[in-house]
Short mmCIF file of all heavy atoms in Angstrom, two decimals:
data_model
loop_
_atom_site.label_atom_id
_atom_site.label_comp_id
_atom_site.label_asym_id
_atom_site.label_seq_id
_atom_site.Cartn_x
_atom_site.Cartn_y
_atom_site.Cartn_z
N LYS Z 53 -216.27 -36.89 145.41
CA LYS Z 53 -217.14 -36.16 146.26
C LYS Z 53 -217.03 -36.57 147.82
O LYS Z 53 -216.86 -37.76 147.98
CB LYS Z 53 -218.57 -36.10 145.88
CG LYS Z 53 -218.78 -35.86 144.28
CD LYS Z 53 -218.32 -34.45 143.96
CE LYS Z 53 -218.54 -34.31 142.46
NZ LYS Z 53 -217.88 -33.04 142.00
N ARG Z 54 -217.19 -35.73 148.68
CA ARG Z 54 -217.11 -36.07 150.08
C ARG Z 54 -218.35 -35.38 150.77
O ARG Z 54 -218.87 -34.42 150.28
CB ARG Z 54 -215.81 -35.60 150.64
CG ARG Z 54 -214.63 -36.45 150.24
CD ARG Z 54 -213.33 -36.00 150.90
NE ARG Z 54 -212.12 -36.72 150.45
CZ ARG Z 54 -211.78 -37.96 150.86
NH1 ARG Z 54 -212.46 -38.54 151.83
NH2 ARG Z 54 -210.76 -38.58 150.41
N VAL Z 55 -218.75 -35.98 151.94
CA VAL Z 55 -219.65 -35.39 152.82
C VAL Z 55 -219.11 -35.31 154.19
O VAL Z 55 -218.28 -36.17 154.50
CB VAL Z 55 -221.12 -36.09 152.66
CG1 VAL Z 55 -221.56 -36.22 151.27
CG2 VAL Z 55 -220.89 -37.56 153.27
N PRO Z 56 -219.63 -34.56 155.08
CA PRO Z 56 -219.19 -34.46 156.40
C PRO Z 56 -219.23 -35.86 157.17
O PRO Z 56 -220.31 -36.51 157.05
CB PRO Z 56 -220.15 -33.39 157.06
CG PRO Z 56 -220.55 -32.54 156.01
CD PRO Z 56 -220.68 -33.48 154.77
N ASP Z 57 -218.28 -36.14 157.96
CA ASP Z 57 -218.30 -37.27 158.86
C ASP Z 57 -218.36 -38.58 158.23
O ASP Z 57 -218.93 -39.57 158.67
CB ASP Z 57 -219.51 -37.11 159.88
CG ASP Z 57 -219.43 -35.91 160.72
OD1 ASP Z 57 -218.36 -35.45 161.24
OD2 ASP Z 57 -220.48 -35.21 160.87
N SER Z 58 -217.90 -38.57 156.87
CA SER Z 58 -217.73 -39.86 156.20
C SER Z 58 -216.38 -40.08 155.66
O SER Z 58 -215.73 -39.12 155.26
CB SER Z 58 -218.74 -39.91 155.07
OG SER Z 58 -218.55 -41.06 154.29
N ARG Z 59 -215.86 -41.26 155.78
CA ARG Z 59 -214.54 -41.62 155.25
C ARG Z 59 -214.51 -41.82 153.79
O ARG Z 59 -213.45 -41.94 153.11
CB ARG Z 59 -214.00 -42.76 155.99
CG ARG Z 59 -213.76 -42.64 157.52
CD ARG Z 59 -213.30 -43.92 158.06
NE ARG Z 59 -213.11 -43.89 159.54
CZ ARG Z 59 -212.74 -44.79 160.33
NH1 ARG Z 59 -212.40 -46.01 159.79
NH2 ARG Z 59 -212.60 -44.69 161.64
N LEU Z 60 -215.69 -41.93 153.13
CA LEU Z 60 -215.81 -42.29 151.71
C LEU Z 60 -215.50 -41.13 150.84
O LEU Z 60 -215.67 -39.91 151.23
CB LEU Z 60 -217.18 -42.83 151.40
CG LEU Z 60 -217.61 -44.16 152.15
CD1 LEU Z 60 -219.06 -44.54 151.64
CD2 LEU Z 60 -216.72 -45.23 151.88
N ALA Z 61 -215.01 -41.48 149.66
CA ALA Z 61 -214.83 -40.46 148.52
C ALA Z 61 -215.34 -41.21 147.38
O ALA Z 61 -214.85 -42.11 146.82
CB ALA Z 61 -213.44 -40.13 148.38
N LEU Z 62 -216.55 -40.63 146.77
CA LEU Z 62 -217.28 -41.25 145.66
C LEU Z 62 -217.41 -40.21 144.49
O LEU Z 62 -217.59 -39.05 144.73
CB LEU Z 62 -218.65 -41.70 146.11
CG LEU Z 62 -218.68 -42.73 147.22
CD1 LEU Z 62 -220.06 -42.99 147.61
CD2 LEU Z 62 -217.99 -44.11 146.79
N THR Z 63 -217.27 -40.75 143.30
CA THR Z 63 -217.47 -39.86 142.18
C THR Z 63 -218.98 -39.92 141.82
O THR Z 63 -219.73 -40.95 142.27
CB THR Z 63 -216.78 -40.39 140.92
OG1 THR Z 63 -217.20 -41.68 140.54
CG2 THR Z 63 -215.27 -40.35 141.25
N LYS Z 64 -219.49 -38.88 141.03
CA LYS Z 64 -220.88 -38.86 140.69
C LYS Z 64 -221.27 -40.12 139.92
O LYS Z 64 -222.28 -40.68 140.05
CB LYS Z 64 -221.16 -37.63 139.79
CG LYS Z 64 -221.34 -36.39 140.56
CD LYS Z 64 -222.67 -36.39 141.23
CE LYS Z 64 -222.91 -34.91 141.89
NZ LYS Z 64 -224.26 -34.84 142.41
N ALA Z 65 -220.30 -40.63 139.13
CA ALA Z 65 -220.63 -41.77 138.26
C ALA Z 65 -220.87 -43.06 139.25
O ALA Z 65 -221.59 -43.94 138.76
CB ALA Z 65 -219.43 -42.06 137.37
N GLN Z 66 -220.32 -43.06 140.40
CA GLN Z 66 -220.50 -44.12 141.27
C GLN Z 66 -221.86 -44.09 142.00
O GLN Z 66 -222.30 -45.07 142.63
CB GLN Z 66 -219.40 -44.14 142.35
CG GLN Z 66 -217.94 -44.48 141.82
CD GLN Z 66 -217.00 -44.46 142.87
OE1 GLN Z 66 -216.55 -43.43 143.29
NE2 GLN Z 66 -216.48 -45.67 143.26
N PHE Z 67 -222.59 -42.95 141.96
CA PHE Z 67 -223.82 -42.95 142.63
C PHE Z 67 -224.86 -42.16 141.85
O PHE Z 67 -225.92 -41.85 142.47
CB PHE Z 67 -223.72 -42.50 144.09
CG PHE Z 67 -223.17 -41.05 144.20
CD1 PHE Z 67 -224.10 -39.96 144.10
CD2 PHE Z 67 -221.90 -40.72 144.45
CE1 PHE Z 67 -223.67 -38.56 144.23
CE2 PHE Z 67 -221.47 -39.45 144.61
CZ PHE Z 67 -222.35 -38.35 144.46
N ALA Z 68 -224.70 -41.91 140.64
CA ALA Z 68 -225.77 -41.14 139.91
C ALA Z 68 -226.86 -42.03 139.33
O ALA Z 68 -227.91 -41.49 138.92
CB ALA Z 68 -225.05 -40.45 138.73
N ALA Z 69 -226.65 -43.33 139.26
CA ALA Z 69 -227.62 -44.17 138.71
C ALA Z 69 -228.60 -44.65 139.82
O ALA Z 69 -228.38 -44.67 141.01
CB ALA Z 69 -226.97 -45.53 138.15
N HIS Z 70 -229.88 -44.92 139.41
CA HIS Z 70 -230.93 -45.24 140.31
C HIS Z 70 -230.86 -46.77 140.77
O HIS Z 70 -231.36 -47.10 141.80
CB HIS Z 70 -232.28 -44.98 139.74
CG HIS Z 70 -232.43 -43.60 139.14
ND1 HIS Z 70 -232.75 -43.41 137.89
CD2 HIS Z 70 -232.22 -42.42 139.66
CE1 HIS Z 70 -232.84 -42.08 137.74
NE2 HIS Z 70 -232.52 -41.51 138.72
N VAL Z 71 -230.17 -47.53 139.95
CA VAL Z 71 -230.04 -49.04 140.23
C VAL Z 71 -228.55 -49.28 140.25
O VAL Z 71 -227.75 -48.81 139.41
CB VAL Z 71 -230.70 -49.76 139.18
CG1 VAL Z 71 -230.65 -51.26 139.43
CG2 VAL Z 71 -232.23 -49.43 138.99
N THR Z 72 -228.19 -50.04 141.25
CA THR Z 72 -226.76 -50.49 141.39
C THR Z 72 -225.81 -49.52 142.02
O THR Z 72 -224.62 -49.75 142.09
CB THR Z 72 -226.10 -51.11 140.05
OG1 THR Z 72 -225.86 -50.04 139.24
CG2 THR Z 72 -227.06 -52.09 139.44
N ALA Z 73 -226.27 -48.32 142.34
CA ALA Z 73 -225.30 -47.28 142.72
C ALA Z 73 -225.85 -46.46 143.84
O ALA Z 73 -225.84 -45.22 143.81
CB ALA Z 73 -224.96 -46.39 141.47
N VAL Z 74 -226.30 -47.07 144.95
CA VAL Z 74 -226.75 -46.29 146.06
C VAL Z 74 -225.49 -45.84 146.88
O VAL Z 74 -224.69 -46.67 147.31
CB VAL Z 74 -227.66 -47.13 147.01
CG1 VAL Z 74 -227.94 -46.41 148.29
CG2 VAL Z 74 -228.94 -47.39 146.21
N PRO Z 75 -225.31 -44.54 147.18
CA PRO Z 75 -224.21 -44.03 147.94
C PRO Z 75 -224.52 -44.32 149.40
O PRO Z 75 -225.40 -43.84 149.96
CB PRO Z 75 -224.09 -42.56 147.62
CG PRO Z 75 -225.47 -42.18 147.22
CD PRO Z 75 -226.16 -43.43 146.52
N ASP Z 76 -223.62 -45.07 150.14
CA ASP Z 76 -223.84 -45.33 151.53
C ASP Z 76 -222.78 -44.67 152.26
O ASP Z 76 -221.73 -45.20 152.69
CB ASP Z 76 -223.74 -46.88 151.79
CG ASP Z 76 -224.15 -47.23 153.11
OD1 ASP Z 76 -224.62 -46.42 153.91
OD2 ASP Z 76 -224.13 -48.44 153.50
N TRP Z 77 -222.95 -43.31 152.46
CA TRP Z 77 -221.83 -42.51 153.11
C TRP Z 77 -221.61 -42.86 154.56
O TRP Z 77 -220.52 -42.68 155.07
CB TRP Z 77 -222.29 -41.02 153.04
CG TRP Z 77 -222.32 -40.46 151.60
CD1 TRP Z 77 -223.53 -40.16 150.94
CD2 TRP Z 77 -221.37 -40.17 150.86
NE1 TRP Z 77 -223.33 -39.73 149.74
CE2 TRP Z 77 -221.80 -39.63 149.56
CE3 TRP Z 77 -219.94 -40.31 150.87
CZ2 TRP Z 77 -221.12 -39.20 148.50
CZ3 TRP Z 77 -219.18 -39.76 149.79
CH2 TRP Z 77 -219.72 -39.27 148.65
N HIS Z 78 -222.66 -43.44 155.25
CA HIS Z 78 -222.62 -43.56 156.69
C HIS Z 78 -223.12 -45.09 157.00
O HIS Z 78 -224.13 -45.29 157.51
CB HIS Z 78 -223.44 -42.61 157.46
CG HIS Z 78 -223.07 -41.17 157.08
ND1 HIS Z 78 -221.98 -40.56 157.46
CD2 HIS Z 78 -223.85 -40.38 156.33
CE1 HIS Z 78 -221.99 -39.27 157.04
NE2 HIS Z 78 -223.13 -39.22 156.39
N PRO Z 79 -222.32 -46.09 156.52
CA PRO Z 79 -222.71 -47.52 156.82
C PRO Z 79 -222.92 -47.84 158.21
O PRO Z 79 -223.65 -48.82 158.64
CB PRO Z 79 -221.64 -48.26 156.08
CG PRO Z 79 -220.40 -47.38 156.07
CD PRO Z 79 -221.06 -46.00 155.96
N GLU Z 80 -222.31 -47.05 159.15
CA GLU Z 80 -222.36 -47.39 160.62
C GLU Z 80 -223.84 -47.03 161.08
O GLU Z 80 -224.17 -47.30 162.21
CB GLU Z 80 -221.37 -46.51 161.40
CG GLU Z 80 -221.47 -45.07 161.31
CD GLU Z 80 -220.91 -44.33 160.15
OE1 GLU Z 80 -220.66 -45.10 159.19
OE2 GLU Z 80 -220.66 -43.13 160.24
N ASP Z 81 -224.66 -46.28 160.28
CA ASP Z 81 -226.01 -45.82 160.71
C ASP Z 81 -227.07 -46.91 160.54
O ASP Z 81 -228.18 -46.72 160.99
CB ASP Z 81 -226.39 -44.65 159.95
CG ASP Z 81 -225.60 -43.39 160.36
OD1 ASP Z 81 -224.85 -43.40 161.24
OD2 ASP Z 81 -225.87 -42.33 159.71
N HIS Z 82 -226.76 -48.01 160.00
CA HIS Z 82 -227.75 -48.95 159.69
C HIS Z 82 -227.18 -50.46 159.60
O HIS Z 82 -225.98 -50.61 159.35
CB HIS Z 82 -228.51 -48.61 158.41
CG HIS Z 82 -227.46 -48.59 157.24
ND1 HIS Z 82 -227.23 -49.70 156.46
CD2 HIS Z 82 -226.78 -47.61 156.71
CE1 HIS Z 82 -226.33 -49.36 155.53
NE2 HIS Z 82 -226.01 -48.03 155.64
N PRO Z 83 -228.11 -51.45 159.66
CA PRO Z 83 -227.54 -52.81 159.43
C PRO Z 83 -227.34 -53.11 157.87
O PRO Z 83 -227.60 -52.23 157.15
CB PRO Z 83 -228.71 -53.69 160.04
CG PRO Z 83 -229.92 -52.80 159.84
CD PRO Z 83 -229.42 -51.42 160.02
N ALA Z 84 -226.86 -54.26 157.56
CA ALA Z 84 -226.74 -54.61 156.30
C ALA Z 84 -228.06 -54.50 155.40
O ALA Z 84 -229.12 -54.96 155.87
CB ALA Z 84 -226.19 -56.08 156.15
N MET Z 85 -227.95 -53.96 154.30
CA MET Z 85 -229.18 -53.72 153.42
C MET Z 85 -229.38 -55.05 152.52
O MET Z 85 -228.51 -55.46 151.95
CB MET Z 85 -229.02 -52.52 152.59
CG MET Z 85 -228.91 -51.16 153.35
SD MET Z 85 -228.81 -49.72 152.16
CE MET Z 85 -227.04 -49.83 151.72
N PRO Z 86 -230.67 -55.41 152.30
CA PRO Z 86 -230.92 -56.48 151.41
C PRO Z 86 -230.79 -55.86 150.06
O PRO Z 86 -230.85 -54.61 149.82
CB PRO Z 86 -232.37 -56.78 151.68
CG PRO Z 86 -232.95 -55.60 152.39
CD PRO Z 86 -231.83 -55.02 153.12
N GLY Z 87 -230.69 -56.69 149.03
CA GLY Z 87 -230.51 -56.24 147.64
C GLY Z 87 -231.46 -55.36 147.07
O GLY Z 87 -231.13 -54.33 146.39
N ILE Z 88 -232.70 -55.52 147.36
CA ILE Z 88 -233.79 -54.63 146.82
C ILE Z 88 -233.56 -53.16 147.42
O ILE Z 88 -233.99 -52.19 146.74
CB ILE Z 88 -235.21 -55.12 147.21
CG1 ILE Z 88 -236.33 -54.23 146.50
CG2 ILE Z 88 -235.42 -55.22 148.67
CD1 ILE Z 88 -236.20 -54.26 144.98
N VAL Z 89 -232.96 -53.01 148.56
CA VAL Z 89 -232.83 -51.72 149.18
C VAL Z 89 -231.51 -51.12 148.67
O VAL Z 89 -231.51 -49.91 148.42
CB VAL Z 89 -232.78 -51.83 150.77
CG1 VAL Z 89 -232.39 -50.47 151.39
CG2 VAL Z 89 -234.10 -52.32 151.35
N SER Z 90 -230.46 -51.95 148.56
CA SER Z 90 -229.11 -51.32 148.16
C SER Z 90 -228.89 -51.29 146.73
O SER Z 90 -228.04 -50.51 146.12
CB SER Z 90 -228.00 -52.06 148.92
OG SER Z 90 -227.98 -53.43 148.49
N VAL Z 91 -229.49 -52.19 145.93
CA VAL Z 91 -229.11 -52.35 144.56
C VAL Z 91 -230.31 -52.27 143.61
O VAL Z 91 -230.23 -51.64 142.51
CB VAL Z 91 -228.45 -53.75 144.22
CG1 VAL Z 91 -228.15 -53.87 142.81
CG2 VAL Z 91 -227.12 -53.88 145.09
N GLY Z 92 -231.49 -52.82 144.06
CA GLY Z 92 -232.63 -52.77 143.16
C GLY Z 92 -232.52 -53.88 142.10
O GLY Z 92 -231.77 -54.91 142.29
N ARG Z 93 -233.31 -53.81 141.09
CA ARG Z 93 -233.37 -54.85 140.08
C ARG Z 93 -233.46 -54.30 138.67
O ARG Z 93 -234.41 -53.51 138.41
CB ARG Z 93 -234.54 -55.75 140.34
CG ARG Z 93 -234.70 -56.93 139.34
CD ARG Z 93 -235.55 -58.00 139.79
NE ARG Z 93 -236.82 -57.55 140.41
CZ ARG Z 93 -237.92 -57.22 139.73
NH1 ARG Z 93 -237.92 -57.23 138.34
NH2 ARG Z 93 -238.99 -56.84 140.41
N GLU Z 94 -232.52 -54.50 137.92
CA GLU Z 94 -232.52 -54.03 136.53
C GLU Z 94 -233.68 -54.55 135.72
O GLU Z 94 -234.13 -55.69 135.95
CB GLU Z 94 -231.23 -54.40 135.73
CG GLU Z 94 -229.98 -53.74 136.29
CD GLU Z 94 -229.78 -52.36 135.85
OE1 GLU Z 94 -230.70 -51.66 135.25
OE2 GLU Z 94 -228.69 -51.79 136.07
N PRO Z 95 -234.27 -53.83 134.83
CA PRO Z 95 -234.01 -52.36 134.48
C PRO Z 95 -234.93 -51.40 135.17
O PRO Z 95 -234.66 -50.22 135.18
CB PRO Z 95 -234.20 -52.40 132.99
CG PRO Z 95 -235.33 -53.33 132.77
CD PRO Z 95 -235.24 -54.42 133.78
N ARG Z 96 -236.05 -51.87 135.75
CA ARG Z 96 -237.06 -50.85 136.17
C ARG Z 96 -237.31 -50.70 137.66
O ARG Z 96 -237.81 -49.70 138.11
CB ARG Z 96 -238.42 -51.37 135.60
CG ARG Z 96 -238.49 -51.36 134.10
CD ARG Z 96 -239.84 -51.91 133.59
NE ARG Z 96 -240.90 -50.96 134.02
CZ ARG Z 96 -242.14 -51.13 133.87
NH1 ARG Z 96 -242.52 -52.37 133.35
NH2 ARG Z 96 -243.12 -50.26 134.32
N VAL Z 97 -236.64 -51.57 138.48
CA VAL Z 97 -236.96 -51.51 139.95
C VAL Z 97 -235.73 -50.75 140.60
O VAL Z 97 -234.68 -51.25 140.68
CB VAL Z 97 -237.13 -52.85 140.55
CG1 VAL Z 97 -237.33 -52.68 142.01
CG2 VAL Z 97 -238.25 -53.55 139.97
N TRP Z 98 -235.93 -49.53 141.00
CA TRP Z 98 -234.93 -48.71 141.68
C TRP Z 98 -234.60 -49.29 143.05
O TRP Z 98 -235.41 -49.82 143.70
CB TRP Z 98 -235.39 -47.24 141.85
CG TRP Z 98 -235.45 -46.55 140.53
CD1 TRP Z 98 -235.54 -47.07 139.26
CD2 TRP Z 98 -235.59 -45.16 140.31
NE1 TRP Z 98 -235.65 -46.06 138.28
CE2 TRP Z 98 -235.67 -44.88 139.03
CE3 TRP Z 98 -235.59 -44.03 141.24
CZ2 TRP Z 98 -235.80 -43.57 138.47
CZ3 TRP Z 98 -235.80 -42.76 140.72
CH2 TRP Z 98 -235.86 -42.58 139.40
N ALA Z 99 -233.40 -49.14 143.51
CA ALA Z 99 -233.07 -49.44 144.86
C ALA Z 99 -233.76 -48.65 145.78
O ALA Z 99 -233.79 -47.30 145.62
CB ALA Z 99 -231.50 -49.25 145.04
N CYS Z 100 -234.41 -49.12 146.82
CA CYS Z 100 -235.24 -48.26 147.75
C CYS Z 100 -234.40 -47.14 148.41
O CYS Z 100 -234.81 -45.94 148.56
CB CYS Z 100 -235.84 -49.18 148.88
SG CYS Z 100 -236.91 -50.46 148.33
N ALA Z 101 -233.10 -47.49 148.72
CA ALA Z 101 -232.26 -46.54 149.48
C ALA Z 101 -231.80 -45.44 148.60
O ALA Z 101 -231.24 -44.36 149.11
CB ALA Z 101 -231.06 -47.26 150.10
N TYR Z 102 -231.97 -45.51 147.21
CA TYR Z 102 -231.53 -44.32 146.45
C TYR Z 102 -232.39 -43.10 146.69
O TYR Z 102 -231.85 -41.95 146.86
CB TYR Z 102 -231.66 -44.67 144.92
CG TYR Z 102 -231.09 -43.54 144.08
CD1 TYR Z 102 -229.76 -43.40 143.88
CD2 TYR Z 102 -232.02 -42.67 143.50
CE1 TYR Z 102 -229.27 -42.31 143.12
CE2 TYR Z 102 -231.54 -41.64 142.74
CZ TYR Z 102 -230.19 -41.54 142.59
OH TYR Z 102 -229.75 -40.35 141.75
N CYS Z 103 -233.66 -43.31 146.85
CA CYS Z 103 -234.67 -42.19 147.20
C CYS Z 103 -234.79 -42.04 148.67
O CYS Z 103 -234.84 -40.98 149.22
CB CYS Z 103 -235.97 -42.44 146.49
SG CYS Z 103 -235.85 -42.39 144.71
#
Side-chain angles (χ1 to χ4, degrees):
K53 311 298 179 186
R54 294 182 179 275
V55 303
D57 302 316
S58 175
R59 297 179 180 178
L60 297 183
L62 302 171
T63 65
K64 280 283 188 182
Q66 289 178 289
F67 62 84
H70 310 125
V71 181
T72 73
V74 170
D76 190 6
W77 297 106
H78 308 286
E80 67 276 16
D81 286 356
H82 60 84
M85 293 182 281
I88 186 60
V89 175
S90 63
V91 178
R93 175 166 49 83
E94 295 280 11
R96 297 181 60 187
V97 179
W98 291 15
C100 301
Y102 184 80
C103 295

